Amino acid sequence: MRGRKRNDNLKALLFVGPLLLIIIIVYAFPLIQNINYSLRDLSDAARPFTGLRNYGLMLRDPIFLISIRNNFILIFTIVPVLVFLSLVLSGALFEQVRGWKFYRGTMLLPYITSITAVGLFYSLFFQGRGMLNSFLKMIHLDALVVDWLGSTQFALPAIMFVIVWREFGFGTMLFLARLTTVPEELFDAAKIDGTNWFQRLFHIVIPQLATVIEFYVFLMIVTMLSWVFNYVYVMTLGGPARSTYVTELYIFIQAFKMNRMGVAAAVSIVIFAVTAVLAFGSLRFRTRLYKEYE
Amino acid sequence: MKRILFAVFVVILLAPVALLAGGQDESAGAMAAKTGRIWIWGEDEAPGLTDFVRSVGDMYSERIDPQVRWEVTHLDIDEIYTGFYAAEEAKNAPELHTLWGGILGFEPAWAGHLVPLSDYVSAQTLSHVLPPLRHDGYWNGKDWLIPLYVNPWPLMINKEVWQSAGLDPERLPTTWAGLIQAVKAMNAAGSTPWCVGIKDGFYGTWFPAILQHQLYDSPSDYLRAVVGIERLDRAPHDRRWYMVGELHDNGAFNSDANSLSLAEGQDLFLQGNVGIIHASGNAYMALLAKEMGEDNVKIWIPPVDSKAKGAGTMPLSSQPVAIPATAKYKVEAGKFLEFFYSKEIQNLMYTEISVFSGSDQLERGSMKTDLDRALYDLAQQKPGMTYPWLHPGAIEEASYAITQKLLAGNIGAAEAASEYEQAAEKWRDENPEQLKNVRIWATEDMPFMK
């Protein structure tokens, strides 16, 4: 009996083994190496162990604090806007508003366009001599003309606009896909009961989409935390005056412009830890939701 | 039919093997000689550089040592340091590798990744390097970096724009007040006096550099403030912020300077209605002269009312090369540099690709245009220091952000100077080892600077 169990375990290991090996090579090794780097002074050829010094340098650096603050601004402003937009738009598409087929076809276009191309376009759009200001001048709103990307007040909101513009299509399609699996009787019954569009949104659509919304929120939080480098790099390079720095850019500048690989490694470990905690929390939350449904 | 298909299949199968075998023969032939590698960057500033260095490599093999052949690779700008450290990590660095000058170039040396050039290149050859450029590669009594080519950094003016503002471009201002008056006049005439793009940062240090460097007798004057012997928020070190602030307050710069990159800012000059550009590199200036009309442009060192030795000098930046610690053929690398720094090759570089060398052996007779003659005279007679290379990356990066804040109107000159000193203090606190090394540089005797 025991021999058979051992045999089964061996078989399982054989099946899982190759994938496990890939995971170790692709994820675990760089992670361990990065933790190792974050505890050393890499500017010295001997790479002496320095304990938590790089983490201390990171926490004492006001630029890091600006970067993390900006990531949180993105999370707490963009994620709710994206969820709201995606809900409203997917609801509207589901109800087959006039021209819904066209909207459904085009809504995903921003999302499939490269971030670099989008960033370059909007750099030109928001520049002092860009399209937006030309338009504002044309309609005699000269008072609103601003160097959008050159102003410490407006550069981050301009980037936020671009992120929302590019990302909302994905959420809309995700929600719409889930909505199409909701029994139509629910909506028909609600309509017979005389509910309006908003009532159906809050009482049918949102509860039915709960698990997908949770997944989307998690995905967008991770995106705002560790996938916005391209927007910032192309549009502002973190400026003006570091007002649009995010942690990824901070890692890049520390590593490749200031030759502080140890600090860069420390920040990337922190970002990884935060993302891992979020992923774990999200998984538990989702499991609980599924159990409630069952 | 099956046989034919089988034959084709076998040929396809064996073709790579045959090709590989051929390749092995070729490399086996090449194994007889030493292959030195040179990794450079500079095509953006010095078009044709890679092919030129390659041709010098061939000449070296013909004339100096037939047993050595040189492979030249042009790097992407972002690969300069990543490529260098990766090669050092693999203990397989090229014989010569490009780096930035000054502290950014010394950092690998302090970490043990470079060998002193002066151990492989003769004192006679090194004595031909223009003094401020040699300073940027000289530390603790040894030379670590040597310029591959040189970029002059003067201002260039558009005479038509000056004339439209009622100014005489043949009699340019000789005082700071005169410069401010000229800025006001161009502004009043509806022109942009000075085009700037600092979104990508470095221009935020470059264009003030042409003002600030004139306040110093030698690079050590500024370095003493960098290492904390003096303060960066006290005169004369804080003047840079007041000068830029005054220019900004008088409408000197295009209002979108913060959202334009260096190249986009410079392009404004080509569009016509701009009076001044801080041009970089004689290749770029030749392009401007061609587009705007050679008679319509003129180079200029702006007046800052200074009596220091740096007054009226033209900043020069160079793209230096170094010998990595793990390079296999260090002696050959030294010999190549000796050959590259010969009078013949230094003049040939200008003749072939119109790029200036960092050597005092470049001859005025080689100059092809009036613009280059003017640049040559300034470079040889009044070579200035490369201010941005005299501080570490942390201070340089802070300088970008502070200039952006100043031009956005968020802070004044006094706050800018104060923030600059704070950035330096932070760097000093966090990098005691680096500080110790820069202090050596700031205080050591440099005979060639006298």
Side-chain angles (χ1 to χ4, degrees), chain B residues 140-373:
Chain B
N140 204 15
K142 299 210 170 197
D143 294 84
W144 301 82
L145 306 152
I146 190 167
L148 191 62
Y149 67 90
V150 165
N151 258 335
W153 279 4
L155 297 187
M156 184 178 250
I157 66 155
N158 180 334
K159 291 183 186 175
E160 277 174 16
V161 172
W162 281 64
Q163 278 161 345
S164 307
L167 302 162
D168 183 356
E170 301 309 325
R171 298 175 67 183
L172 294 169
T174 53
T175 62
W176 178 252
L179 169 60
I180 294 295
Q181 282 307 316
V183 161
K184 283 181 182 170
M186 282 187 268
N187 217 350
S191 302
T192 301
W194 190 332
C195 59
V196 183
I198 57 170
K199 172 183 153 183
D200 38 8
F202 30 87
Y203 209 59
T205 304
W206 287 15
F207 84 85
I210 195 161
L211 308 169
Q212 183 67 23
H213 88 278
Q214 295 189 62
L215 304 177
Y216 297 120
D217 285 330
S218 82
S220 305
D221 293 353
Y222 174 58
L223 276 170
R224 276 199 297 277
V226 169
V227 297
I229 298 169
E230 292 170 27
R231 286 181 65 92
L232 286 163
D233 55 358
R234 300 277 187 276
H237 313 294
D238 61 351
R239 268 286 300 283
R240 134 184 200 185
W241 303 107
Y242 286 96
M243 287 190 280
V244 173
E246 201 177 341
L247 286 165
H248 173 254
D249 293 345
N250 285 289
F253 310 119
N254 41 299
S255 59
D256 53 356
N258 268 345
S259 64
L260 298 185
S261 66
L262 186 156
E264 288 168 331
Q266 289 187 323
D267 277 351
L268 298 180
F269 190 75
L270 281 168
Q271 289 168 22
N273 199 21
V274 174
I276 304 169
I277 182 175
H278 187 196
S280 52
N282 59 312
Y284 181 64
M285 279 180 269
L287 171 84
L288 293 177
K290 192 179 160 201
E291 294 290 323
M292 315 291 292
E294 201 161 327
D295 294 336
N296 187 36
V297 293
K298 184 177 181 179
I299 57 167
W300 184 38
I301 305 298
V304 295
D305 303 344
S306 166
K307 288 192 170 64
K309 284 181 188 166
T313 60
M314 176 174 67
L316 291 173
S317 89
S318 67
Q319 192 62 42
V321 287
I323 303 178
T326 63
K328 199 171 171 189
Y329 306 118
K330 296 185 185 73
V331 173
E332 285 73 11
K335 280 185 186 171
F336 178 86
L337 287 174
E338 293 274 358
F339 181 62
F340 191 83
Y341 254 76
S342 65
K343 192 174 178 178
E344 178 198 352
I345 302 296
Q346 293 293 287
N347 280 284
L348 193 65
M349 182 157 72
Y350 177 78
T351 317
E352 298 261 316
I353 56 170
S354 301
V355 169
F356 276 28
S357 84
S359 163
D360 64 4
Q361 291 184 300
L362 183 64
E363 291 172 323
R364 195 172 195 274
S366 308
M367 297 298 116
K368 293 182 264 192
T369 62
D370 287 342
L371 175 69
D372 279 358
R373 265 183 284 280

Side-chain angles (χ1 to χ4, degrees), chain A residues 30-45 47-48 50-58 61 64 247-270, chain B residues 78-89 104 107-108 111 113 393-394 430-431 434:
Chain A
L31 181 65
I32 292 163
Q33 187 70 314
N34 219 19
I35 293 171
N36 178 29
Y37 282 168
S38 74
L39 302 172
R40 292 178 184 277
D41 178 5
L42 299 180
S43 64
D44 191 314
R47 295 184 172 174
T50 53
L52 295 174
R53 185 173 181 269
N54 287 323
Y55 291 88
L57 291 174
M58 171 193 86
D61 190 349
F64 171 72
T247 41
E248 291 166 89
L249 184 74
Y250 180 79
I251 292 169
F252 176 79
I253 299 280
Q254 292 293 315
F256 300 114
K257 303 280 177 195
M258 292 164 74
N259 197 23
R260 302 213 306 175
M261 286 286 182
V263 175
V267 180
S268 55
I269 291 300
V270 168
Chain B
D78 288 333
E79 285 179 312
I80 295 176
Y81 279 80
T82 49
F84 173 80
Y85 284 115
E88 272 290 290
E89 183 91 0
L104 292 172
E107 277 175 356
H113 292 301
E430 290 179 357
N431 300 279
Q434 211 178 31

